[in-house]
Amino acid sequence: MKSMIEQRSAKEYTATKNACKLCAPLGASLVFKGIEGAIPLLHGSQGCSTYIRRYLISHFKEPVDIACSNFAEETAIFGGGMNLKIALQNIHQQYDPSLVGIATTCLSETIGDDVPMFLREYAEQHRNEKTAPLVHVSTPSYQGTHMQGFHNAVLATVKSVTTTGNFSNIGHVNIFPGMVSPADLRYLKEILTDFQIPYMMLPDYSKTLDGSIWSEYQLIPEGGTTVEMIRCSGNAAGSLEFGRILSREKQSAGKWLREKFHVDCHHLGLPIGINETDRFFQVLEILSGRPTPDKYREERGRLIDSYVDGHKHMIAAKVALYGEEDLVVGMAAFFSEIGIQPVLCASGDHSGYLKEEIARLFPSDLDQSIRVMDNADFMDIESAVQDIKPDLIVGNSKGFAMARRLGIPMVRIGFPIHDRVDASRKLHLGYRGTQQLFDRIANKLIEYRQASSTVGYTYM
Amino acid sequence: MADRNQQQEVVMSLDEQNPETVKADLLRRYPIKIARKRSKQIVVNKVGACDDVPQISSNVRTIPGLIGQRGCCYAGCKGVVLGPTRDIINITHGPIGCGFYSWLTRRNQTDPDSSEDKHNFIPYCFSTDMQDEEIIFGGERKLRKAIQEAYDNFKPKAIAVFATCPVGLIGDDIHSVCREMKEKLGINVFGFSCEGYKGVSQSAGHHIANNQIFKHVVGLDDTVREGEYKVNLLGEYNIGGDAFEIDRIFKKCGISIVSTYSGNSSIDDFSNSHTADLNLIMCHRSINYVAEMMDKKYGIPWIKINFIGAEATAKSLRKIAGYFNDQKLIDRVEQVIAEELPEVKKAYLEIRPRTEGKKVMLFVGGSRAHHYQELFNELGMKILSAGYEFAHRDDYEGRKVIPSIKVDADSRNIEELEVTPDPGKYSPRKSPEEMNALENQGIKFSDYEGMMPAMKDGTLIIDDISQFETDAMIEIFKPDIFCAGIKEKYSVQKHGIPLKQLHSYDYGGPYAGFKGAINFYKEIDRMVNSKVWGYIKAPWEKNPELTATYAWG
Ligand code: SF4
Ligand code: SF4
């Protein structure tokens, strides 16, 4: 049978029905939440920041403070400079932040506010006061999704904070993990620490968005990448940047640091599955000059062992997969190792590279047919799923309604997961994350077969 | 006389603190200009003669940089008022986020089986998903196609279009597109200019929603349905099934609901709602406009009722029976109350010893901060502080202050419909004499007494509380439970204090009516008496000396 990799730029419809993407300032806010002492500020009317806070909060189940410049009707007509400056002043006074990350909404973008100029004016007017670094990122949602907002905010932060100079901590590594879970970030830090590699990870919301109960009141939740570390990212020994799709984009923080500061950048896929994780560990061995610690050799060993033992439950299972493009590519890579067919790979993003990246994983001599859809909404996805009848749906909570209608079991990964309690603690990356994904998927398939079996077997 | 003077000198106390000092504390961190503005929105309550209370500044713009909880005009219009109606297709005209974030995020329940066509579009989120091209060249063409598509795919009875911020700026005329498509498709298509920057909060959106529903839907169907004691239930959004519980009680009493705005609603009910004989208002803030307009155009009086709290429910039922003034209904209502109340009483008497005297704060919405005090009172809990997110002065101080409310630029931009009696359909449900007689019996028409007169002296009333002030209030008073929404939930719980969501009910409910009250008592009991809070401090944090002794001992 011929491989059928079919690009379905799903635009049979004009309107988007049940979107499979969120808007750009959400991604940017998430990045700013991962910087120590930082406050995100949306430049526009308050609805956007309230909605975005609400969405982030219901996923992370943690406080998420995002300020806003609160446009009024006349602000929308005359421009938001005044509002932005008042907002900045109030934020400084209340929170004494170490950085303010300013992202624009569609409103301030549509009226064409000159934010860099406002920021220069603000800095000028407050020359004699302590002012935090002000990072501006342009995030019109009519040009990109939350992923663009996320990556652009990482880039903007690095660009505006990095300085030249002599730093004592030479030899550290920059790591740009992309939009992953707090548990993933924590695990990455553990790995780097075990390799004894000093690092600058941007963003790092592992603690700010998955913190413990407070023993004393915190104005801004503790944790996050320090501004100091970001400042010296131009002095790093190298950068690691996750995301096959991101690596093909013209711009990224890693690329910028290479061009500007000659910091070598390793572009890797999201380390999900054995292959991509092996690559990641190889790079770490090179960067650290150390062998992979036993702990991870053992994790890898256990993972392979479970692949061998549990393989039979997965083989030839058909999965419909959706989410951010890089997550989809990462998951598909993992599926390719254990014989799962990702019969549908869909995303609301549209970088234009998704099809090629999936094709790379499933070369044409393979006996399967995969539908790749970018720019898709859940209407498109559902009609494809209805067609293909997969055994399992893998993606964020937004696919639940479809899974329920069609009676197909579902495993939740990525963002948003607002109908489970452990979104922040879900692990996707590395040997350990892959192990969890493997277990969850295998168990879900077994559970479904068990429940729908007429025999009701209890032992295997 | 001497007594009174003495009383005035007494410094008010709130949980053993001076509320004025607390207020000063809250304002300390603000620059002077802002402190001045906020100081008018933070008021120490004092109920005087004729229920006079101090003036509170509200429905004013949130200061940039103060992290608050308010949403936008679009959120109030599409999300709150129109969202719960199951058979209108709502199309958000704008970039993707606004539509996405308002997709199924409120827990309005609906029962599609109660309409013939079983339409239910609530699970869908339609957006024109504007791109660069539309921002530059205009989005009317795309909107037209989106309406056509929605029609082709679903054949709905009605389609509504909601404008988001960029739409107003690029100058798309959604209303003319709607008119054109209405003509073409032969179904009701209407638009809402509810751009997020209008007004100061979702409240502006409520008003716009009320106006358009009134203009485009109410009065379209004159069929007089069967049933006695016909009412509309306004401002009840059926979160967690509240409206179902109210329905249950009404059915038992023999009261017929023509339409509910807008929990479990259908557009057909709205079209027919002018045939009811009484309007009942739950959430005054979001819906009083429709009630006022129906009164003027069709002669339907309105009264404020409240089905949150067992006693409040009983009182509201008696008010309704009083209005219809029919012995059959009066007896029936008494019978229902007699049947239902004992179980409720049993529940709170059992729970009360564990909740008595516990401290509560409520900062939520435009009516719930008031309504829920009833339930807490029934549990013997103490309300220290309360405030609304988007209410106006009348919701705080009572409708009597309406003539003295200054209309600022933000409110002036929201259209006030000119409504006059309908030449064919205006028919006052009661004669002026009957109305007078009812007023004398204590039924107040077109009136809401507000939240503050119902609260104790010395309590702190805080409008549009900021995250910063929230944290400060918690640090100062350490309440036993805090009521707000999802945005505050986890920050409050970080302090080790449970937060009860009064927007989404933490996936619980119903809390309205008699059965709802019991649910709520149990929920609060569970929350304030949960063991979890006792584990927050580890043993070595509780008793560092002890651990040290062991370690070295
Ligand atoms: S206007 Fe833009 S930034 Fe705001 S919620 Fe909508 S899509 Fe997001
Ligand atoms: S863009 Fe405007 S309408 Fe949309 S969420 Fe933001 S404030 Fe509301």
Side-chain angles (χ1 to χ4, degrees):
Chain A
M1 210 167 113
K2 223 178 120 277
S3 161
M4 191 186 102
I5 293 190
E6 169 191 346
Q7 176 91 345
R8 266 278 212 96
S9 231
K11 273 304 132 212
E12 294 151 27
Y13 294 121
T14 303
T16 298
K17 303 186 189 80
N18 300 355
C20 184
K21 59 179 176 185
L22 293 86
C23 75
L26 178 137
S29 304
L30 191 52
V31 171
F32 297 133
K33 283 308 291 179
I35 299 172
E36 188 186 62
I39 295 271
L41 163 62
L42 296 193
H43 185 46
S45 33
Q46 72 204 4
C48 313
S49 65
T50 296
Y51 270 146
I52 288 170
R53 283 179 69 204
R54 166 190 222 303
Y55 238 82
L56 291 171
I57 290 169
S58 54
H59 172 88
F60 291 104
K61 313 221 171 351
E62 286 288 318
V64 180
D65 287 352
I66 299 173
C68 178
S69 57
N70 292 65
F71 274 45
E73 193 148 4
E74 71 281 357
T75 329
I77 298 162
F78 301 116
M82 201 50 212
N83 280 49
L84 183 59
K85 289 173 200 162
I86 297 174
L88 284 169
Q89 196 194 350
N90 281 325
I91 291 168
H92 277 93
Q93 206 126 6
Q94 292 168 90
Y95 292 94
D96 186 20
S98 56
L99 181 145
V100 183
I102 300 123
T104 46
T105 70
C106 300
L107 176 56
S108 53
E109 286 287 341
T110 305
I111 65 175
D113 261 1
D114 187 349
V115 174
M117 184 185 80
F118 299 153
L119 297 183
R120 278 196 303 276
E121 288 170 0
Y122 179 83
E124 179 60 24
Q125 285 155 7
H126 295 259
R127 231 185 359 249
N128 302 321
E129 298 155 36
K130 186 178 160 226
T131 304
L134 308 175
V135 175
H136 161 238
V137 56
S138 167
T139 44
S141 296
Y142 47 80
Q143 283 174 356
T145 68
H146 59 297
M147 274 326 284
Q148 265 85 44
F150 186 98
H151 293 315
N152 288 347
V154 173
L155 176 62
T157 306
V158 168
K159 264 186 172 174
S160 70
V161 176
T162 309
T163 52
T164 43
N166 284 323
F167 299 100
S168 49
N169 55 335
I170 300 180
H172 77 279
V173 165
N174 301 319
I175 173 161
F176 303 109
M179 196 171 145
V180 295
S181 78
D184 290 326
L185 296 174
R186 256 194 311 274
Y187 181 50
L188 290 174
K189 292 200 292 184
E190 185 184 328
I191 296 170
L192 290 160
T193 308
D194 288 341
F195 269 100
Q196 297 178 36
I197 300 175
Y199 59 87
M200 189 289 295
M201 182 161 78
L202 185 66
D204 175 11
Y205 42 80
S206 61
K207 205 165 174 187
T208 52
L209 293 180
D210 193 17
S212 60
I213 202 120
W214 295 341
S215 50
E216 62 191 58
Y217 173 55
Q218 296 171 13
L219 210 44
I220 299 175
E222 60 184 30
T225 321
T226 62
V227 173
E228 227 14 72
M229 280 306 288
I230 306 171
R231 204 162 266 154
C232 51
S233 54
N235 255 7
S239 301
L240 287 170
E241 200 165 58
F242 291 161
R244 295 267 164 223
I245 302 283
L246 179 65
S247 75
R248 303 187 60 167
E249 299 282 359
K250 267 213 280 314
Q251 285 192 315
S252 75
K255 283 177 188 165
W256 185 81
L257 285 167
R258 184 171 52 211
E259 276 152 33
K260 189 89 186 182
F261 292 94
H262 311 290
V263 180
D264 209 14
C265 184
H266 301 267
H267 297 282
L268 297 166
L270 275 178
I272 305 177
I274 296 280
N275 279 324
E276 290 287 20
T277 309
D278 282 352
R279 272 187 209 113
F280 173 46
F281 275 79
Q282 271 166 350
V283 172
L284 294 178
E285 290 193 343
I286 295 167
L287 286 171
S288 66
R290 287 189 176 77
T292 296
D294 284 348
K295 182 169 146 191
Y296 302 101
R297 290 173 188 277
E298 285 167 19
E299 280 184 357
R300 185 181 190 280
R302 281 195 297 271
L303 177 59
I304 299 283
D305 192 56
S306 68
Y307 272 20
V308 172
D309 298 345
H311 191 235
K312 65 167 181 229
H313 301 295
M314 319 277 233
I315 188 86
K318 292 191 290 179
V319 170
L321 174 66
Y322 59 85
E324 294 85 16
E325 289 182 327
D326 265 319
L327 182 64
V328 167
V329 172
M331 289 296 292
F334 160 51
F335 289 164
S336 73
E337 295 171 356
I338 50 173
I340 285 184
Q341 298 178 35
V343 286
L344 175 68
C345 294
S347 180
D349 296 330
H350 50 286
S351 67
Y353 307 121
L354 183 62
K355 177 190 159 194
E356 283 171 35
E357 288 300 322
I358 299 289
R360 210 175 43 75
L361 293 165
F362 296 89
S364 48
D365 53 350
L366 268 185
D367 175 27
Q368 42 201 339
S369 81
I370 292 174
R371 247 192 236 193
V372 179
M373 304 197 309
D374 65 0
N375 206 9
D377 61 23
F378 278 100
M379 245 2 203
D380 308 323
I381 297 175
E382 184 163 345
S383 69
V385 167
Q386 221 159 355
D387 245 26
I388 306 171
K389 303 197 175 48
D391 304 298
L392 190 68
I393 290 173
V394 175
N396 58 55
S397 292
K398 286 295 171 206
F400 171 67
M402 156 179 81
R404 184 179 141 110
R405 265 191 295 271
L406 303 176
I408 300 170
M410 172 175 174
V411 168
R412 285 167 177 76
I413 58 161
F415 178 93
I417 300 177
H418 40 52
D419 57 349
R420 286 294 181 273
V421 294
D422 60 346
S424 305
R425 297 184 290 277
K426 282 195 198 301
L427 196 57
H428 310 74
L429 302 187
Y431 302 123
R432 205 186 291 166
T434 306
Q435 183 75 70
Q436 291 196 5
L437 288 170
F438 180 88
D439 294 346
R440 288 170 60 207
I441 289 171
N443 282 340
K444 182 58 89 180
L445 288 166
I446 293 168
E447 182 189 306
Y448 183 76
R449 286 180 202 140
Q450 201 173 12
S452 49
S453 143
T454 47
V455 187
Y457 54 89
T458 56
Y459 183 83
M460 35 177 223
Chain B
M1 201 63 210
D3 262 346
R4 256 185 99 175
N5 280 337
Q6 242 171 7
Q7 245 178 20
Q8 270 170 3
E9 272 160 35
V10 171
V11 181
M12 279 197 274
S13 133
L14 178 62
D15 199 39
E16 291 166 22
Q17 312 234 23
N18 179 342
E20 292 291 354
T21 320
V22 172
K23 174 175 170 176
D25 250 13
L26 295 180
L27 298 173
R28 204 163 29 92
R29 275 270 198 135
Y30 293 132
I32 295 172
K33 246 171 94 182
I34 285 155
R36 206 178 296 137
K37 188 167 178 213
R38 281 305 292 158
S39 86
K40 294 186 197 137
Q41 290 176 273
I42 303 176
V43 168
V44 177
N45 196 32
K46 184 150 182 36
V47 186
C50 309
D51 277 355
D52 280 336
V53 289
Q55 180 171 332
I56 185 165
S57 163
S58 55
N59 192 33
V60 289
R61 196 150 270 287
T62 304
I63 299 158
L66 262 54
I67 300 170
Q69 317 300 352
R70 284 174 166 179
C72 63
C73 182
Y74 162 84
C77 184
K78 192 255 179 186
V80 174
V81 179
L82 271 298
T85 308
R86 62 177 167 268
D87 49 7
I88 302 177
I89 286 193
N90 293 331
I91 300 179
T92 299
H93 187 37
I96 197 64
C98 324
F100 188 96
Y101 302 127
S102 56
W103 172 21
L104 275 185
T105 38
R106 282 172 61 83
R107 289 185 60 248
N108 322 101
Q109 299 186 5
T110 201
D111 174 17
D113 290 338
S114 51
S115 332
E116 226 167 88
D117 53 23
K118 299 198 184 346
H119 278 176
N120 182 13
F121 305 119
I122 293 179
Y124 294 94
C125 162
F126 300 78
S127 167
T128 52
D129 193 358
M130 279 185 156
Q131 299 296 313
D132 249 349
E133 203 189 309
E134 284 89 41
I135 297 287
I136 301 166
F137 301 110
E140 292 181 13
R141 204 178 59 95
K142 197 170 187 185
L143 175 61
R144 219 171 274 129
K145 284 176 76 180
I147 296 173
Q148 182 70 48
E149 236 172 58
Y151 177 76
D152 293 343
N153 285 321
F154 295 96
K155 298 280 175 323
K157 282 182 279 229
I159 295 176
V161 173
F162 301 84
T164 66
C165 288
V167 171
L169 293 170
I170 61 174
D172 275 4
D173 184 351
I174 60 164
H175 301 289
S176 80
V177 174
C178 288
R179 270 194 303 273
E180 183 193 319
M181 294 308 285
K182 179 176 178 174
E183 190 102 329
K184 179 172 175 203
L185 303 175
I187 59 165
N188 203 349
V189 183
F190 48 100
F192 297 81
S193 290
C194 53
E195 287 87 349
Y197 53 74
K198 290 196 171 154
V200 304
S201 68
Q202 46 272 64
S203 174
H206 302 147
H207 196 165
I208 292 171
N210 279 230
N211 286 350
Q212 298 301 87
I213 280 287
F214 193 75
K215 248 203 285 201
H216 293 279
V217 183
V218 174
L220 291 182
D221 173 12
D222 291 330
T223 317
V224 178
R225 303 189 201 177
E226 276 177 36
E228 285 177 301
Y229 319 119
K230 275 183 246 162
V231 299
N232 295 315
L233 184 56
L234 306 186
E236 167 49 59
Y237 300 104
N238 202 19
I239 305 286
D242 276 351
F244 293 147
E245 164 67 0
I246 300 172
D247 264 357
R248 180 188 74 83
I249 298 171
F250 277 17
K251 276 212 182 90
K252 246 177 128 172
C253 296
I255 301 165
S256 321
I257 297 183
V258 179
S259 78
T260 302
Y261 283 68
S262 52
N264 188 28
S265 64
S266 149
I267 188 170
D268 294 339
D269 302 338
F270 294 157
S271 328
N272 196 238
S273 57
H274 63 297
T275 62
D277 293 320
L278 175 66
N279 277 330
L280 307 172
I281 291 202
M282 260 306 263
C283 173
H284 171 261
R285 182 67 269 134
S286 59
I287 211 86
N288 74 83
Y289 319 94
V290 158
E292 284 281 288
M293 291 188 283
M294 282 210 233
D295 192 2
K296 283 198 191 121
K297 187 165 178 179
Y298 303 107
I300 310 172
W302 69 264
I303 56 173
K304 174 80 181 70
I305 43 80
N306 172 24
F307 290 104
I308 302 294
E311 291 299 336
T313 299
K315 202 168 130 195
S316 297
L317 290 173
R318 290 190 176 115
K319 257 199 208 174
I320 300 167
Y323 168 83
F324 285 104
N325 201 13
D326 180 340
Q327 201 55 43
K328 186 173 95 188
L329 181 63
I330 294 170
D331 292 345
R332 187 72 202 130
V333 159
E334 287 308 327
Q335 197 183 335
V336 170
I337 294 171
E339 272 168 37
E340 303 261 345
L341 260 191
E343 204 180 321
V344 183
K345 278 207 174 123
K346 197 175 129 225
Y348 74 64
L349 289 178
E350 198 262 310
I351 289 166
R352 207 168 161 147
R354 295 190 293 276
T355 50
E356 187 91 58
K358 297 238 186 232
K359 300 178 280 186
V360 190
M361 293 183 183
L362 312 94
F363 294 97
V364 57
S367 62
R368 290 173 191 259
H370 179 193
H371 291 163
Y372 275 81
Q373 296 191 16
E374 295 276 348
L375 286 166
F376 286 113
N377 288 334
E378 284 165 3
L379 289 173
M381 294 169 76
K382 221 165 55 188
I383 289 139
L384 299 187
S385 183
Y388 297 122
E389 196 177 299
F390 49 76
H392 301 193
R393 274 184 61 203
D394 35 328
D395 306 292
Y396 284 105
E397 304 167 44
R399 273 183 81 94
K400 60 179 179 296
V401 302
I402 288 180
S404 66
I405 294 179
K406 272 209 279 320
V407 181
D408 63 7
D410 285 312
S411 304
R412 211 169 300 126
N413 290 335
I414 312 299
E415 186 190 12
E416 280 287 349
L417 293 186
E418 275 294 337
V419 179
T420 49
D422 187 288
K425 301 179 190 172
Y426 180 78
S427 108
R429 303 311 200 254
K430 299 265 175 189
S431 68
E433 297 75 43
E434 285 173 314
M435 291 290 273
N436 254 334
L438 289 168
E439 296 252 12
N440 289 338
Q441 284 166 34
I443 297 181
K444 290 193 196 142
F445 292 98
S446 311
D447 189 40
Y448 172 37
E449 76 283 11
M451 173 171 82
M452 287 164 71
M455 291 182 67
K456 293 226 162 69
D457 286 1
T459 49
L460 275 165
I461 317 295
I462 306 179
D463 179 61
D464 185 22
I465 193 171
S466 70
Q467 189 65 47
F468 184 78
E469 291 156 3
T470 302
D471 290 330
M473 284 296 282
I474 289 173
E475 281 297 295
I476 297 169
F477 288 106
K478 304 262 181 264
D480 295 287
I481 192 160
F482 195 96
C483 298
I486 181 85
K487 292 189 289 291
E488 299 91 324
K489 179 160 180 99
Y490 302 100
S491 74
V492 169
Q493 294 191 163
K494 285 283 179 215
H495 294 271
I497 287 160
L499 184 138
K500 177 67 201 162
Q501 291 188 61
L502 291 187
H503 293 285
S504 82
Y505 292 180
D506 294 290
Y507 321 103
Y511 296 141
F514 299 114
K515 295 224 159 100
I518 299 175
N519 285 340
F520 194 77
Y521 305 148
K522 287 187 181 155
E523 175 76 354
I524 296 305
D525 182 27
R526 178 187 68 74
M527 290 183 91
V528 299
N529 294 307
S530 164
K531 280 196 184 147
V532 178
W533 313 111
Y535 299 132
I536 289 175
K537 280 223 180 322
W540 55 87
E541 284 174 313
K542 280 187 202 151
N543 272 321
E545 329 76 45
L546 209 65
T547 326
T549 335
Y550 278 132
W552 300 107

